[in-house]
Amino acid sequence: MALRVPIPAALRSHQSRKCSVIGSTGGIKVRASVKQRRKGTGISPDFSPFLTDPEEIASRFGLEITVLELERLFKEASGDPLLPQLCGPSHPSLASGFSGRPVRVAYQGVRGSYCQEAAVKAFSSVCTAFPCNHMEDAFQALEEKTADRAIIPVENSIDGPIDRNFDLLLRHGGIDIVGELILPVNHCLLAVKGSSRSDLKRIVSHPQALSHCKAKLETLCLEIDEVPNSADAAKFISENQISDTAVIGSKMAAREFGLQVLEQNVQDQICNFNRFLQLGLEPAPLLQGKEKKPTEWKTTVAFSLEKGVSDLFRALFLFQSRNVTVTRVEHRPNRSNPVRVVEKETGDFRYFDYVFILDLEGRVSDPGVESGLTRLKEITGFVRVLGSYPLI
């Protein structure tokens, strides 16, 4: 009889923890906070998780671990046979300005999440990627320079935009969009190794993933439970070897927690994609050697309109008349001036005011984009370029 262990209350609740990372060296686990130093650990706030320099790791943690052993562990991690299925380049992404070391990448979410897949895909199999449970923590990691880059999700092709991350982009003026990544969603049915479909009694996952797989789940006739985080559920099922429960999660979760993939692409619609943005403290550099064409770049601009929503057509026409394609229009509440009062002969009218966000084809330095932005300033309360970046 299969051992059934109920999902703990911690997985069912919506409580979140501070952004933290866990590194494992041999049998020793080390946890460090991105935000602050822990008393008595000697871990500084600029600690970079999964450091690739063995001597630096040993000195930071004061562990009696040989340099050779740490080098062996790192080589084994970079030689994982499953990584080529998830990542792009097979070598570290050595972006300019990082002194030849692998890029430190903060991603929103936890180990095994789709954001981790995006981080690995955008950079490499051995980038020093670390999770941030809170959305704000990824931005703070950049500002505190404990990360060189951050990966955040901003949109799903079925469920729409993640408004909170657009608000954070507007709030953090020193952070730029430096890249975009669009990846197909591959919802996988994950279970402990050795179990089969006939062993399953229930399936757990995040409500969004369950909604994406509704038709498939109806054919399985199993108990369905919602959990706040599917990657955390995958970890719990793996650690407790619960053979009668499967998780709908990512291939990264299967690799991270040693689960087997019973079935791939269990989502109902094949046109299911996630859009991620790569963030940095400086604008995206020009690509060396093979610079991308202007149409393979995007510029994202935010602005408010002095006359309100009725002037949006004028803003769009400023770019369309210059043969600059507007690929996306988004709006968020104007938090600095949320209500607009318009005086008319019949009385005063009150309207909510908004900040508009446009995605434009091309670089900010392209003549059409540059000219359109100059004219846009004439009809707006403010204009800010959130980033001009190549498509990854």
Side-chain angles (χ1 to χ4, degrees), residues 322-350:
R322 290 166 172 78
N323 294 319
V324 176
T325 301
V326 179
T327 63
R328 189 176 184 279
V329 180
E330 182 64 52
H331 74 278
R332 298 299 302 141
N334 187 348
R335 295 175 183 268
S336 62
N337 185 33
V339 178
R340 177 185 299 273
V341 180
V342 179
E343 297 181 0
K344 296 185 178 181
E345 294 181 358
T346 55
D348 292 345
F349 290 82
R350 296 176 181 271

Side-chain angles (χ1 to χ4, degrees), residues 2-266:
L3 176 64
R4 181 185 176 102
V5 180
I7 300 294
L11 288 181
R12 293 182 181 275
S13 72
H14 289 273
Q15 295 178 351
S16 56
R17 297 178 296 275
K18 290 185 178 180
C19 167
S20 61
V21 294
I22 297 177
S24 179
T25 52
I28 303 174
K29 291 186 177 179
V30 183
R31 180 180 292 271
S33 169
V34 170
K35 285 188 173 181
Q36 57 189 207
R37 171 182 293 217
R38 284 190 175 183
K39 294 181 180 180
T41 60
I43 301 173
S44 62
D46 62 345
F47 165 71
S48 173
F50 306 117
L51 293 166
T52 58
D53 186 333
E55 293 178 319
E56 187 176 1
I57 296 174
S59 64
R60 290 288 182 97
F61 293 116
L63 304 177
E64 295 180 357
I65 303 175
T66 65
V67 171
L68 290 176
E69 176 65 5
L70 287 169
E71 289 177 340
R72 180 188 66 79
L73 290 170
F74 179 73
K75 288 178 181 178
E76 286 180 357
S78 61
D80 190 326
L82 287 178
L83 283 171
Q85 304 174 32
L86 301 171
C87 63
S90 58
H91 299 289
S93 175
L94 303 178
S96 60
F98 298 139
S99 304
R101 56 172 170 76
V103 183
R104 300 170 298 173
V105 185
Y107 61 87
Q108 288 184 353
V110 299
R111 289 177 53 220
S113 66
Y114 290 102
C115 274
Q116 185 183 9
E117 280 192 352
V120 172
K121 181 69 176 179
F123 293 94
S124 72
S125 60
V126 289
C127 66
T128 56
F130 60 95
C132 293
N133 288 348
H134 294 109
M135 290 185 176
E136 291 86 350
D137 290 339
F139 288 82
Q140 185 169 353
L142 280 176
E143 291 176 335
E144 294 179 350
K145 299 185 178 180
T146 56
D148 304 308
R149 292 285 186 264
I151 294 288
I152 63 169
V154 290
E155 193 171 8
N156 176 264
S157 58
I158 295 176
D159 298 316
I162 301 175
D163 295 333
R164 177 63 173 162
N165 277 338
F166 285 105
D167 291 338
L168 287 170
L169 274 171
L170 293 172
R171 186 183 307 171
H172 293 264
I175 291 178
D176 289 293
I177 304 171
V178 297
E180 178 190 72
L181 184 64
I182 296 177
L183 294 177
V185 173
N186 179 8
H187 287 313
C188 300
L189 193 63
L190 311 178
V192 298
K193 291 182 178 179
S195 61
S196 64
R197 290 277 293 272
S198 60
D199 297 325
L200 300 181
K201 295 182 180 178
R202 67 173 175 172
I203 295 176
V204 301
S205 193
H206 186 275
Q208 184 184 45
L210 294 175
S211 68
H212 289 178
C213 308
K214 184 177 179 181
K216 178 67 176 181
L217 294 175
E218 288 176 351
T219 66
L220 297 177
C221 299
L222 297 173
E223 179 185 343
I224 307 299
D225 282 340
E226 294 182 356
V227 292
N229 194 297
S230 57
D232 280 342
K235 179 182 179 182
F236 179 82
I237 287 171
S238 175
E239 291 178 344
N240 293 277
Q241 289 295 292
I242 307 174
S243 60
D244 68 350
T245 302
V247 179
I248 294 177
S250 67
K251 289 179 70 175
M252 178 64 76
R255 182 182 75 85
E256 286 286 327
F257 307 122
L259 297 173
Q260 65 172 326
V261 178
L262 294 179
E263 187 176 348
Q264 295 192 54
N265 291 307
V266 295

Side-chain angles (χ1 to χ4, degrees), residues 285-318:
L286 295 178
L287 300 180
Q288 298 178 357
K290 47 179 182 180
E291 190 174 328
K292 289 195 173 186
K293 299 176 183 178
T295 53
E296 293 176 310
W297 282 63
K298 277 187 180 180
T299 295
T300 299
V301 58
F303 57 92
S304 64
L305 292 166
E306 291 183 348
K307 294 185 179 181
V309 179
S310 61
D311 255 2
L312 181 58
F313 82 98
R314 292 181 61 193
L316 297 175
F317 183 74
L318 291 176

